[in-house]
Structures are given as C-alpha cells and as structure tokens.
Amino acid sequence: MADITERVREFLNDNPALEQAETIVAVSKAMPLGQIKKNAKVQGPMLVGGAIGALISHHRESKMSAEDLQSKMKLGVYLVATDRRLLLISAGGLRSLPQEHLGSVERSRITKVERGTTKVSLVKMMTVTFVLDDGSELGFEFPKVDAKDGERLLSSFGV
C-alpha cells in the first residue's frame, strides 16, 4: 500500500493542481474540526468555528455551495502543504483515496497556525487551526492513525 504522500502525488499527476515548480512539503489526512464528533452522534454543537471558516473561505473561491463542500469533506480531507499553498483534497471511497481538489489557500494568507487538542470518547486528538488574513479559520482534527502525518504538516509551518 502506497504511503499518503504517494497517494496524493498520484492523484495530482492525474488531476494537476500544482503550479509550475511548486513542490509538496508535507501531506496529512484530517477531518474538519467537529466532524468526528458529528459522525459519533455526540450532542451539542457539531461544527466548531474552524470547519465553518473553511466552508466560508472556500465558498468565496468557487461556485460550490457550502453544503456541497461540507458533504465532500465528510469522509476526510488531505491537507497538502506546498512551498506556496495549502491545498485541500477530499478523501472518499472505501480506501479514503484522494477524490477531488476542493481549493487552496496561499501560504502568505495564513497569519497563524494554532495547535490544540480535542477529546472524543475519552481519546485526545491533535487539532490545527489555520487563521487567515481576513480572520476566517480552517480547522481540522487528526485521528490517532494520522497524528504523525499531522505533526509533519505542522512542522512544515514552523509549529
């Protein structure tokens, strides 16, 4: 089985989204912040600000509705840090393979990267929130199996 970076490289070879001479620095699979709790049917607010911020931010860049984007990220999203941008690629299917390039954010627009933790069913998970220059946020949580890739992604942003 190919590692996560190879899966994304194969996807990007078939679905070009990188700019000329842009290079991949780190890749991680994550869930929009609050989605794991939503999937577990936990009561209370399900989408914490970060995921809503992601929908708002992307909605400005595309014709896709916020509901469509939320649906496309339901099974997870690949976060691809390049030397220039942060790309979001939806995960889907039984093997959670990269499915569709959902959008990107220029690194220059990311003003702060915050690490945190959330707890689901007594299990702590790492979270990351990207704060953009317009005040919107992109928030994600990393299931335990994806935590090491998440750490590499954070390192690529100096966190």
Short mmCIF file of all heavy atoms in Angstrom, two decimals, residues 52-96:
data_model
loop_
_atom_site.label_atom_id
_atom_site.label_comp_id
_atom_site.label_asym_id
_atom_site.label_seq_id
_atom_site.Cartn_x
_atom_site.Cartn_y
_atom_site.Cartn_z
N ILE A 52 -16.55 25.72 9.85
CA ILE A 52 -17.40 26.72 9.22
C ILE A 52 -16.54 27.72 8.48
O ILE A 52 -16.85 28.12 7.36
CB ILE A 52 -18.28 27.42 10.28
CG1 ILE A 52 -19.27 26.40 10.87
CG2 ILE A 52 -19.02 28.60 9.69
CD1 ILE A 52 -20.00 26.86 12.09
N GLY A 53 -15.42 28.12 9.08
CA GLY A 53 -14.49 29.04 8.41
C GLY A 53 -13.97 28.46 7.11
O GLY A 53 -13.82 29.17 6.12
N ALA A 54 -13.70 27.16 7.09
CA ALA A 54 -13.23 26.51 5.87
C ALA A 54 -14.28 26.61 4.78
O ALA A 54 -13.97 26.88 3.63
CB ALA A 54 -12.90 25.05 6.14
N LEU A 55 -15.53 26.40 5.14
CA LEU A 55 -16.59 26.47 4.16
C LEU A 55 -16.73 27.89 3.62
O LEU A 55 -16.87 28.09 2.42
CB LEU A 55 -17.92 26.02 4.78
CG LEU A 55 -17.96 24.62 5.36
CD1 LEU A 55 -19.32 24.34 5.99
CD2 LEU A 55 -17.64 23.58 4.31
N ILE A 56 -16.67 28.87 4.51
CA ILE A 56 -16.80 30.26 4.08
C ILE A 56 -15.64 30.65 3.18
O ILE A 56 -15.82 31.24 2.13
CB ILE A 56 -16.87 31.20 5.31
CG1 ILE A 56 -18.18 30.95 6.07
CG2 ILE A 56 -16.76 32.65 4.91
CD1 ILE A 56 -18.24 31.58 7.43
N SER A 57 -14.43 30.29 3.59
CA SER A 57 -13.25 30.65 2.82
C SER A 57 -13.30 30.05 1.42
O SER A 57 -13.04 30.72 0.44
CB SER A 57 -11.99 30.17 3.54
OG SER A 57 -10.86 30.45 2.77
N HIS A 58 -13.66 28.78 1.34
CA HIS A 58 -13.69 28.13 0.04
C HIS A 58 -14.85 28.65 -0.81
O HIS A 58 -14.71 28.81 -2.00
CB HIS A 58 -13.83 26.61 0.17
CG HIS A 58 -13.83 25.93 -1.15
ND1 HIS A 58 -12.69 25.72 -1.87
CD2 HIS A 58 -14.85 25.48 -1.93
CE1 HIS A 58 -13.00 25.14 -3.02
NE2 HIS A 58 -14.30 25.00 -3.07
N HIS A 59 -15.96 28.94 -0.18
CA HIS A 59 -17.15 29.38 -0.91
C HIS A 59 -16.84 30.64 -1.73
O HIS A 59 -17.35 30.80 -2.84
CB HIS A 59 -18.30 29.64 0.05
CG HIS A 59 -19.58 30.01 -0.61
ND1 HIS A 59 -20.27 29.14 -1.42
CD2 HIS A 59 -20.26 31.18 -0.61
CE1 HIS A 59 -21.35 29.76 -1.89
NE2 HIS A 59 -21.36 30.99 -1.40
N ARG A 60 -15.98 31.50 -1.23
CA ARG A 60 -15.61 32.71 -1.95
C ARG A 60 -14.83 32.41 -3.22
O ARG A 60 -14.86 33.17 -4.16
CB ARG A 60 -14.77 33.62 -1.06
CG ARG A 60 -15.60 34.37 -0.06
CD ARG A 60 -14.74 35.39 0.63
NE ARG A 60 -14.88 35.08 2.05
CZ ARG A 60 -13.91 35.09 2.91
NH1 ARG A 60 -12.70 35.41 2.56
NH2 ARG A 60 -14.13 34.80 4.17
N GLU A 61 -14.11 31.29 -3.24
CA GLU A 61 -13.24 30.96 -4.36
C GLU A 61 -13.90 30.09 -5.42
O GLU A 61 -13.33 29.87 -6.47
CB GLU A 61 -12.00 30.22 -3.86
CG GLU A 61 -11.16 31.02 -2.90
CD GLU A 61 -10.04 30.19 -2.31
OE1 GLU A 61 -9.89 29.02 -2.70
OE2 GLU A 61 -9.34 30.71 -1.44
N SER A 62 -15.08 29.54 -5.16
CA SER A 62 -15.66 28.59 -6.10
C SER A 62 -17.15 28.77 -6.23
O SER A 62 -17.78 29.51 -5.48
CB SER A 62 -15.36 27.16 -5.65
OG SER A 62 -16.19 26.83 -4.56
N LYS A 63 -17.73 28.08 -7.16
CA LYS A 63 -19.18 28.09 -7.37
C LYS A 63 -19.85 27.03 -6.50
O LYS A 63 -21.06 26.94 -6.47
CB LYS A 63 -19.51 27.81 -8.85
CG LYS A 63 -18.82 28.75 -9.82
CD LYS A 63 -19.47 30.10 -9.82
CE LYS A 63 -18.83 30.96 -10.88
NZ LYS A 63 -18.86 32.35 -10.60
N MET A 64 -19.08 26.21 -5.81
CA MET A 64 -19.61 25.13 -4.98
C MET A 64 -20.32 25.71 -3.76
O MET A 64 -19.80 26.62 -3.11
CB MET A 64 -18.45 24.23 -4.54
CG MET A 64 -18.87 22.96 -3.85
SD MET A 64 -17.45 21.96 -3.29
CE MET A 64 -16.45 21.86 -4.74
N SER A 65 -21.49 25.20 -3.44
CA SER A 65 -22.21 25.69 -2.26
C SER A 65 -21.53 25.16 -0.99
O SER A 65 -20.82 24.15 -1.02
CB SER A 65 -23.66 25.23 -2.29
OG SER A 65 -23.75 23.85 -2.01
N ALA A 66 -21.78 25.83 0.12
CA ALA A 66 -21.20 25.41 1.40
C ALA A 66 -21.67 24.00 1.76
O ALA A 66 -20.90 23.20 2.28
CB ALA A 66 -21.59 26.39 2.50
N GLU A 67 -22.93 23.67 1.44
CA GLU A 67 -23.46 22.34 1.74
C GLU A 67 -22.74 21.27 0.92
O GLU A 67 -22.42 20.19 1.42
CB GLU A 67 -24.96 22.27 1.46
CG GLU A 67 -25.81 23.12 2.40
CD GLU A 67 -25.83 24.61 2.01
OE1 GLU A 67 -25.59 24.94 0.82
OE2 GLU A 67 -26.05 25.44 2.90
N ASP A 68 -22.47 21.57 -0.37
CA ASP A 68 -21.74 20.62 -1.21
C ASP A 68 -20.33 20.40 -0.70
O ASP A 68 -19.84 19.28 -0.65
CB ASP A 68 -21.69 21.10 -2.67
CG ASP A 68 -23.02 20.99 -3.38
OD1 ASP A 68 -23.91 20.27 -2.88
OD2 ASP A 68 -23.16 21.62 -4.44
N LEU A 69 -19.67 21.49 -0.31
CA LEU A 69 -18.30 21.37 0.20
C LEU A 69 -18.28 20.56 1.49
O LEU A 69 -17.45 19.68 1.66
CB LEU A 69 -17.70 22.75 0.42
CG LEU A 69 -16.25 22.76 0.92
CD1 LEU A 69 -15.33 22.07 -0.07
CD2 LEU A 69 -15.80 24.17 1.18
N GLN A 70 -19.22 20.85 2.38
CA GLN A 70 -19.30 20.10 3.65
C GLN A 70 -19.49 18.61 3.36
O GLN A 70 -18.85 17.77 3.97
CB GLN A 70 -20.44 20.63 4.50
CG GLN A 70 -20.53 19.96 5.85
CD GLN A 70 -21.66 20.54 6.69
OE1 GLN A 70 -22.39 21.42 6.26
NE2 GLN A 70 -21.79 20.04 7.90
N SER A 71 -20.33 18.30 2.41
CA SER A 71 -20.58 16.91 2.04
C SER A 71 -19.32 16.26 1.49
O SER A 71 -19.01 15.11 1.80
CB SER A 71 -21.71 16.85 1.01
OG SER A 71 -21.87 15.54 0.53
N LYS A 72 -18.57 16.98 0.68
CA LYS A 72 -17.35 16.43 0.07
C LYS A 72 -16.24 16.19 1.10
O LYS A 72 -15.38 15.36 0.90
CB LYS A 72 -16.86 17.34 -1.05
CG LYS A 72 -17.76 17.32 -2.26
CD LYS A 72 -17.30 18.30 -3.31
CE LYS A 72 -18.27 18.40 -4.45
NZ LYS A 72 -18.26 17.25 -5.32
N MET A 73 -16.27 16.92 2.22
CA MET A 73 -15.24 16.75 3.25
C MET A 73 -15.67 15.78 4.34
O MET A 73 -14.91 15.51 5.26
CB MET A 73 -14.89 18.11 3.87
CG MET A 73 -14.22 19.04 2.90
SD MET A 73 -13.38 20.48 3.63
CE MET A 73 -14.49 21.05 4.88
N LYS A 74 -16.87 15.23 4.24
CA LYS A 74 -17.44 14.38 5.29
C LYS A 74 -16.55 13.17 5.62
O LYS A 74 -16.45 12.76 6.76
CB LYS A 74 -18.83 13.91 4.87
CG LYS A 74 -19.53 13.05 5.88
CD LYS A 74 -20.97 12.80 5.51
CE LYS A 74 -21.05 12.03 4.22
NZ LYS A 74 -22.42 11.68 3.84
N LEU A 75 -15.90 12.58 4.62
CA LEU A 75 -15.05 11.41 4.85
C LEU A 75 -13.59 11.77 5.10
O LEU A 75 -12.74 10.90 5.20
CB LEU A 75 -15.16 10.45 3.66
CG LEU A 75 -16.55 9.86 3.42
CD1 LEU A 75 -16.55 9.01 2.17
CD2 LEU A 75 -17.01 9.06 4.63
N GLY A 76 -13.31 13.04 5.17
CA GLY A 76 -11.95 13.49 5.42
C GLY A 76 -11.41 14.32 4.29
O GLY A 76 -12.00 14.41 3.21
N VAL A 77 -10.27 14.91 4.57
CA VAL A 77 -9.63 15.77 3.59
C VAL A 77 -8.12 15.60 3.71
O VAL A 77 -7.60 15.40 4.80
CB VAL A 77 -10.07 17.25 3.80
CG1 VAL A 77 -9.64 17.77 5.14
CG2 VAL A 77 -9.57 18.15 2.70
N TYR A 78 -7.46 15.59 2.57
CA TYR A 78 -6.00 15.59 2.55
C TYR A 78 -5.54 17.04 2.59
O TYR A 78 -5.97 17.84 1.76
CB TYR A 78 -5.45 14.89 1.31
CG TYR A 78 -5.63 13.41 1.35
CD1 TYR A 78 -6.75 12.80 0.79
CD2 TYR A 78 -4.68 12.59 1.96
CE1 TYR A 78 -6.93 11.43 0.84
CE2 TYR A 78 -4.85 11.22 2.02
CZ TYR A 78 -5.97 10.65 1.45
OH TYR A 78 -6.14 9.29 1.52
N LEU A 79 -4.70 17.36 3.55
CA LEU A 79 -4.09 18.68 3.64
C LEU A 79 -2.71 18.56 3.02
O LEU A 79 -1.88 17.77 3.49
CB LEU A 79 -3.98 19.12 5.10
CG LEU A 79 -5.28 19.16 5.88
CD1 LEU A 79 -5.01 19.50 7.34
CD2 LEU A 79 -6.24 20.17 5.26
N VAL A 80 -2.47 19.32 1.98
CA VAL A 80 -1.21 19.24 1.25
C VAL A 80 -0.51 20.59 1.39
O VAL A 80 -0.95 21.58 0.83
CB VAL A 80 -1.44 18.91 -0.25
CG1 VAL A 80 -0.11 18.77 -0.97
CG2 VAL A 80 -2.29 17.66 -0.39
N ALA A 81 0.57 20.60 2.16
CA ALA A 81 1.37 21.81 2.31
C ALA A 81 2.42 21.81 1.21
O ALA A 81 3.17 20.86 1.06
CB ALA A 81 2.05 21.84 3.68
N THR A 82 2.41 22.86 0.41
CA THR A 82 3.45 23.02 -0.60
C THR A 82 4.32 24.19 -0.18
O THR A 82 4.06 24.84 0.85
CB THR A 82 2.85 23.29 -2.00
OG1 THR A 82 2.33 24.62 -2.05
CG2 THR A 82 1.77 22.28 -2.35
N ASP A 83 5.31 24.49 -0.98
CA ASP A 83 6.15 25.64 -0.67
C ASP A 83 5.41 26.96 -0.87
O ASP A 83 5.86 28.00 -0.43
CB ASP A 83 7.43 25.61 -1.49
CG ASP A 83 7.18 25.51 -2.99
OD1 ASP A 83 6.08 25.10 -3.41
OD2 ASP A 83 8.11 25.82 -3.76
N ARG A 84 4.19 26.93 -1.49
CA ARG A 84 3.44 28.15 -1.78
C ARG A 84 2.03 28.19 -1.18
O ARG A 84 1.50 29.26 -0.91
CB ARG A 84 3.27 28.32 -3.29
CG ARG A 84 4.56 28.43 -4.03
CD ARG A 84 4.31 28.55 -5.50
NE ARG A 84 5.55 28.26 -6.20
CZ ARG A 84 5.64 28.04 -7.48
NH1 ARG A 84 4.56 28.06 -8.23
NH2 ARG A 84 6.81 27.79 -8.04
N ARG A 85 1.39 27.01 -1.01
CA ARG A 85 -0.02 26.98 -0.64
C ARG A 85 -0.34 25.82 0.29
O ARG A 85 0.47 24.92 0.49
CB ARG A 85 -0.89 26.80 -1.90
CG ARG A 85 -0.74 27.88 -2.92
CD ARG A 85 -1.63 27.65 -4.11
NE ARG A 85 -1.15 26.51 -4.90
CZ ARG A 85 -1.87 25.86 -5.80
NH1 ARG A 85 -3.11 26.21 -6.04
NH2 ARG A 85 -1.37 24.85 -6.46
N LEU A 86 -1.57 25.84 0.80
CA LEU A 86 -2.18 24.72 1.49
C LEU A 86 -3.33 24.28 0.61
O LEU A 86 -4.26 25.05 0.37
CB LEU A 86 -2.69 25.13 2.87
CG LEU A 86 -3.46 24.05 3.64
CD1 LEU A 86 -2.52 22.91 4.05
CD2 LEU A 86 -4.13 24.65 4.87
N LEU A 87 -3.26 23.05 0.09
CA LEU A 87 -4.31 22.51 -0.77
C LEU A 87 -5.21 21.59 0.04
O LEU A 87 -4.74 20.90 0.94
CB LEU A 87 -3.71 21.69 -1.91
CG LEU A 87 -3.11 22.43 -3.10
CD1 LEU A 87 -1.84 23.13 -2.72
CD2 LEU A 87 -2.84 21.47 -4.23
N LEU A 88 -6.50 21.59 -0.29
CA LEU A 88 -7.47 20.68 0.32
C LEU A 88 -7.98 19.75 -0.76
O LEU A 88 -8.46 20.21 -1.80
CB LEU A 88 -8.65 21.46 0.91
CG LEU A 88 -8.43 22.09 2.28
CD1 LEU A 88 -7.46 23.24 2.20
CD2 LEU A 88 -9.75 22.57 2.84
N ILE A 89 -7.84 18.44 -0.53
CA ILE A 89 -8.29 17.42 -1.47
C ILE A 89 -9.20 16.47 -0.70
O ILE A 89 -8.80 15.94 0.34
CB ILE A 89 -7.10 16.65 -2.07
CG1 ILE A 89 -6.18 17.61 -2.83
CG2 ILE A 89 -7.58 15.52 -2.96
CD1 ILE A 89 -4.88 16.99 -3.30
N SER A 90 -10.41 16.27 -1.20
CA SER A 90 -11.35 15.40 -0.48
C SER A 90 -10.89 13.95 -0.53
O SER A 90 -10.24 13.51 -1.47
CB SER A 90 -12.75 15.51 -1.08
OG SER A 90 -12.78 15.00 -2.39
N ALA A 91 -11.23 13.21 0.53
CA ALA A 91 -10.96 11.78 0.62
C ALA A 91 -12.29 11.06 0.45
O ALA A 91 -13.32 11.54 0.91
CB ALA A 91 -10.33 11.43 1.96
N GLY A 92 -12.27 9.91 -0.20
CA GLY A 92 -13.53 9.20 -0.38
C GLY A 92 -13.33 7.75 -0.74
O GLY A 92 -12.21 7.27 -0.90
N GLY A 93 -14.43 7.05 -0.84
CA GLY A 93 -14.40 5.64 -1.16
C GLY A 93 -14.01 4.79 0.03
O GLY A 93 -13.70 5.30 1.11
N LEU A 94 -14.01 3.50 -0.16
CA LEU A 94 -13.69 2.58 0.93
C LEU A 94 -12.27 2.73 1.43
O LEU A 94 -11.98 2.49 2.60
CB LEU A 94 -13.93 1.14 0.48
CG LEU A 94 -15.38 0.77 0.19
CD1 LEU A 94 -15.47 -0.64 -0.38
CD2 LEU A 94 -16.22 0.89 1.45
N ARG A 95 -11.35 3.14 0.55
CA ARG A 95 -9.95 3.26 0.94
C ARG A 95 -9.54 4.69 1.25
O ARG A 95 -8.37 4.98 1.42
CB ARG A 95 -9.07 2.67 -0.15
CG ARG A 95 -9.29 1.16 -0.30
CD ARG A 95 -8.50 0.54 -1.44
NE ARG A 95 -7.13 0.96 -1.48
CZ ARG A 95 -6.42 1.05 -2.60
NH1 ARG A 95 -6.97 0.73 -3.76
NH2 ARG A 95 -5.17 1.44 -2.57
N SER A 96 -10.52 5.61 1.27
CA SER A 96 -10.25 7.03 1.54
C SER A 96 -9.17 7.60 0.63
O SER A 96 -8.28 8.32 1.07
CB SER A 96 -9.84 7.24 3.00
OG SER A 96 -10.94 7.07 3.83
#
